[in-house]
Amino acid sequence: MDPVTEDRAPEPLTEHAHRITRKVRAFDQRHPLLWDLHFTGFWVTAALIDYGGGGWRHNAHNLDVPGWLLFVLSLGLSVPLLRRRTHPGAVLAATTPFALVNAWTGAALQASLLQLVLIYHVALRRTLHDLWWATAMVITPVFVSTARYGEGSWEQQIGSLLMSITVAALIGITVRTRRNYTEALEDRARRLETERDQQAQLATAAERARIAREMHDIIGHNLSVITGLADGGRYAAAKSPERAAQALDAIATTSRQALTELRRLLDVLREEEKYQAELTPQPGLTDLDRLIDGVRSAGLPVHTATHGTPTLPPGRQLTVYRVIQEALTNTLKHAGPGATAEIELSYEEKAAVTVQITDTGNGGGTDPPRDGRGLPGMRERTALYDGTLEAGPRPHPEQGWRVRLHLPEETPQ
């Protein structure tokens, strides 16, 4: 014997019933008309058997009811059930005249009890107000029968029927409550799934924007440095081959650094598990010296001045680093020959910092508006810490461009 089969616990009866119920409901949803035809056909057959087999005579008050009338009453009380789910109120109104004739003639056909099915559907699909008048319509034939034939007490006749109506209505209300609860859960699950997808899309868009900023900073800066080194090496080649060789070495070093940073960044985009992104920390204040040395080697003299003690968290350090990097890159691209740059960092308490980058060029130290991501990227980074960023020409008569970054004190969360 298979040990898995031997250890398997028997399926509870409730689970078995639920599975059968789910299959029946699924079939009903796929073929509603077919299910309605089967349901109605069963009760039409039962009503005709009660009429044709003479079973109605056991409860009848009058045995002389014509056969054709019994046939018509049997069909009139059962055939309308075909539309019970879509129009339960109209079907109940259509069967009520047949129920009244059934009570008046004393036939007392059992098919009149099919109105309880309609009570169930009224409770399931209509309002409480509709349930009250539906109850009145079902009870009325009992008053007619009791008043005409006088068999049994009023309390017995009305009480028995009211109990049956109450049970049918409670079943309908219970099913309706259960269905509404299930629909509410399904709707909530759909909304949560939609919100999850939207949050994932927003996160993806934010990540793409961050990666675009990083790629702009990395590629733009290193290409500007390489361009400066290449220009310097070309001029030095004729007079000083050694300096040209140094420029080529610097170009190679800068290119390798750019490729390393770019690969690390693009690794984040890979979805395959076999590609693990290299866990290299983001640049910070300790990397500023290497950044400035690279700019100097590209031919731009840079002077630095520092006030205070740096106590910035990694996120703020990255913002300061990227703003300085972008400002120096733009100076290399736009300031023109003979320009110099100056960086002044002022550290304050509670992680506040002010950075000012100025140059003496004639072309401006930021991207032209149509170029793209330089200045907007700096502003986005600054806005993360509620800081301010100013970029524009230096006041007359000074020449050049100035970028000023201020990150306020870090507020406790």
Side-chain angles (χ1 to χ4, degrees):
M1 181 179 295
D2 186 358
V4 177
T5 305
E6 183 180 5
D7 295 339
R8 182 180 300 167
E11 185 180 35
L13 182 60
T14 55
E15 291 294 334
H16 183 69
H18 287 167
R19 188 172 67 254
I20 295 177
T21 303
R22 286 194 296 267
K23 291 182 179 179
V24 172
R25 288 177 179 174
F27 178 83
D28 184 23
Q29 291 176 355
R30 292 193 303 268
H31 311 284
L33 180 59
L34 184 60
W35 177 260
D36 287 341
L37 287 173
H38 278 79
F39 182 88
T40 305
F42 173 81
W43 289 114
V44 169
T45 303
L48 293 178
I49 290 175
D50 182 54
Y51 148 70
W56 63 279
R57 297 178 180 276
H58 298 289
N59 299 312
H61 304 299
N62 178 15
L63 301 179
D64 297 328
V65 182
W68 66 267
L69 181 57
L70 293 173
F71 178 76
V72 171
L73 292 177
S74 298
L75 295 181
L77 290 169
S78 58
V79 172
L81 291 178
L82 184 64
R83 304 299 301 275
R84 73 195 185 282
R85 293 200 286 188
T86 56
H87 302 85
V91 172
L92 182 60
T95 58
T96 297
F98 294 97
L100 290 172
V101 173
N102 180 53
W104 180 262
T105 59
L109 291 173
Q110 297 297 308
S112 62
L113 295 177
L114 292 177
Q115 287 189 312
L116 295 176
V117 176
L118 301 176
I119 289 290
Y120 163 80
H121 283 281
V122 169
L124 181 63
R125 293 176 171 85
R126 304 295 291 269
T127 64
L128 182 62
H129 178 266
D130 294 335
L131 184 60
W132 284 117
W133 66 255
T135 301
M137 293 175 68
V138 174
I139 290 179
T140 301
V142 178
F143 283 102
V144 173
S145 176
T146 305
R148 182 170 173 78
Y149 296 100
E151 294 185 10
S153 63
W154 290 82
E155 295 81 359
Q156 182 181 359
Q157 296 287 339
I158 301 300
S160 176
L161 183 59
L162 280 178
M163 181 63 68
S164 300
I165 292 175
T166 301
V167 172
L170 286 177
I171 294 175
I173 293 173
T174 302
V175 174
R176 179 176 185 170
T177 303
R178 177 72 177 180
R179 180 178 298 175
N180 292 340
Y181 177 71
T182 303
E183 290 176 353
L185 289 180
E186 292 176 350
D187 180 67
R188 181 183 179 187
R190 283 192 297 268
R191 286 188 288 106
L192 289 175
E193 184 176 358
T194 301
E195 292 176 2
R196 182 195 64 189
D197 293 340
Q198 291 175 347
Q199 291 175 357
Q201 292 174 1
L202 291 175
T204 300
E207 183 65 12
R208 287 178 177 174
R210 184 190 69 81
I211 292 174
R213 287 196 303 267
E214 294 291 335
M215 292 182 66
H216 172 273
D217 293 341
I218 293 171
I219 297 175
H221 171 74
N222 286 286
L223 286 180
S224 297
V225 172
I226 291 172
T227 300
L229 289 170
D231 290 340
R234 184 181 61 183
Y235 289 119
K239 297 181 180 180
S240 178
E242 294 182 359
R243 293 188 61 186
Q246 292 176 357
L248 291 174
D249 291 338
I251 289 174
T253 301
T254 304
S255 300
R256 282 191 288 269
Q257 291 176 353
L259 285 174
T260 300
E261 293 187 34
L262 192 57
R263 287 195 187 101
R264 176 180 57 82
L265 188 62
L266 294 179
D267 278 344
V268 179
L269 300 178
R270 299 191 179 184
E271 297 179 355
E272 296 84 0
E273 294 182 358
K274 61 180 180 179
Y275 295 110
Q276 297 294 331
E278 184 181 354
L279 300 179
T280 303
Q282 293 279 20
L285 298 179
T286 56
D287 300 294
L288 280 177
D289 291 339
R290 187 175 61 180
L291 172 69
I292 294 172
D293 289 340
V295 174
R296 286 171 178 161
S297 64
L300 175 65
V302 181
H303 306 284
T304 61
T306 303
H307 308 284
T309 304
T311 56
L312 302 182
R316 293 189 171 219
Q317 290 189 36
L318 178 62
T319 298
V320 171
Y321 179 92
R322 291 303 188 195
V323 169
I324 294 175
Q325 182 185 50
E326 182 63 26
L328 294 178
T329 300
N330 291 328
T331 299
L332 282 171
K333 291 164 58 178
H334 305 296
T340 62
E342 182 175 344
I343 303 173
E344 183 177 358
L345 297 97
S346 300
Y347 299 105
E348 305 169 20
E349 296 181 355
K350 297 183 180 180
V353 62
T354 301
V355 183
Q356 182 168 277
I357 306 101
T358 57
D359 64 59
T360 58
N362 10 347
T366 190
D367 295 330
R370 58 187 177 185
D371 274 1
R373 300 181 177 275
L375 186 57
M378 288 194 288
R379 294 194 186 281
E380 290 174 4
R381 294 182 185 278
T382 305
L384 292 176
Y385 300 98
D386 298 325
T388 57
L389 181 76
E390 301 172 5
R394 298 173 68 183
H396 188 74
E398 296 179 338
Q399 188 178 15
W401 199 267
R402 183 189 71 161
V403 176
R404 184 177 183 278
L405 165 70
H406 176 70
L407 301 181
E409 295 181 356
E410 189 174 24
T411 57
Q413 298 297 327

